[in-house]
Amino acid sequence: MQKRYGMMLASALSLTMMLSACSGGNGGNGGNDGNKGDEGSASPSSSASASASASASGAVSDDPTGGKKVDLSFWTLFSGGDGDNMQAMIDQFNKTHPNIQVKNTKLEWGEYYTKLITAVGNGNGPDVGISHTSRLPDLIDQGVVSGLDEVASATGVDWNSFNPNLLNATVVDGVHYAVPIDTHPFIMYYNKKLLKDAGLLGEDGKPVLEQSADGFVKFLTALKDKLPKNVTPFALSNSNDDPYRLWWALYSQLGGNDVIADDLKTAALDADKGAKAAQYIQDLYTNGYIKKNDPDFYKNFQSGTAAIMMTGVWATGTWESTKGLEFGAMPIPKIYDQEATWGDSHTIILPVTKKEDETKRKAAIVFANYLADNGAIWAKAGHIPSKPSVIESAEFKALPNRSDYASVAGTVKFSKPSTKNWQLRDNVSFKFLNEVWAGKMTPADAMAKMQPAYQKLLDE
């Protein structure tokens, strides 16, 4: 599947055009993520470094260097709280692994993938890098990342220690290409005070909400009827990312297959299920449960004028740092047949090098596994750790809110490993679904147009 270095340079410019936002959402309008979101969130506490080594690596070799000193270059795309949390883990790793020293180079998110592809193509790439699961297929296709099975086996990395849903999304053609360290899915937040005022907060501090299509509408109707007129029942962007994420979640809950077939060449949208999911969301706009033309749905929730909102887990840290905001977090409701939601993951990759250094690769995979083992620190920003053992740890359970949505890691519906996933989303799904949310196109018409548009893009 991998191609030569020359292809990387040729495609760097085209990838730049693809860049919209991280898997995360924007603290602003949510529709245009502005290259922000999950890469910046709440800062780590002063005890982060002290607790970083709480979760041991088990059978994984702590020092596969044979006594050699190994320096690893690590390229990341994290800023804000994510950047601080990652640096805390790196610092602790360097202290506990004196023969392996990791240097973190922080790149801007909007430039990261282009610079990574170009640098690897020139033979100047890092020893370790970051990739979203959604980006992996393109990096694999261009020969940017290397397979990990041999080096993982040599150092004792246990793939069974990872959440299988997150891990399987990084396996292409039977090969492990990345070490997942988290998932950052689409979830629901709620304002406890407003729900209590509406009589919809249980004694356990959680919403009184029937998990069904009708139940969710009844819940929103009660919020609309019982709360002041200036309160929005459901804060959500009117376009692009978050309503698309909700559509993908409901489409998946209905059992909708991926929009492309297993051959990765054929459009396979289930039009009936896609239309049903879109109709449900369109009705939420039409019936006034979601504020139309909301200039900033994050601010709407943050200021206490929205009862619920849906976005990615990266918002958890923002709400926690907002004075006076009493909120809770939970999986999005089970509207249809099965629990499912949208999500992505941060993973650790080992980029291809012109001259392979096996000692460095062993050191790098030990570092990657260490980051996954210390996911309780990474979870401070809101992410769900990739290892179930971390979710069961005292350090993770001591964090507020996270345990209330940690189960979502098993219900994230990842896309098939197509190199065109982002174009399919940005250039087709957004285009037609935005027309549905605006009331300019029926869901059925949108699905009828999306199918050939997907196929046209796949044929290019």
Side-chain angles (χ1 to χ4, degrees), residues 16-35:
T16 303
M17 301 301 291
M18 287 169 54
L19 291 172
S20 55
C22 181
S23 331
N26 182 324
N29 61 24
N32 179 1
D33 290 10
N35 300 329

Side-chain angles (χ1 to χ4, degrees), residues 25 185-189 242 245 297-298 309-315:
F186 188 70
I187 65 169
M188 180 173 126
Y189 296 97
D242 282 309
R245 290 166 179 146
F297 78 105
Y298 266 62
M309 69 98 71
M310 292 184 188
T311 192
V313 298
W314 49 83

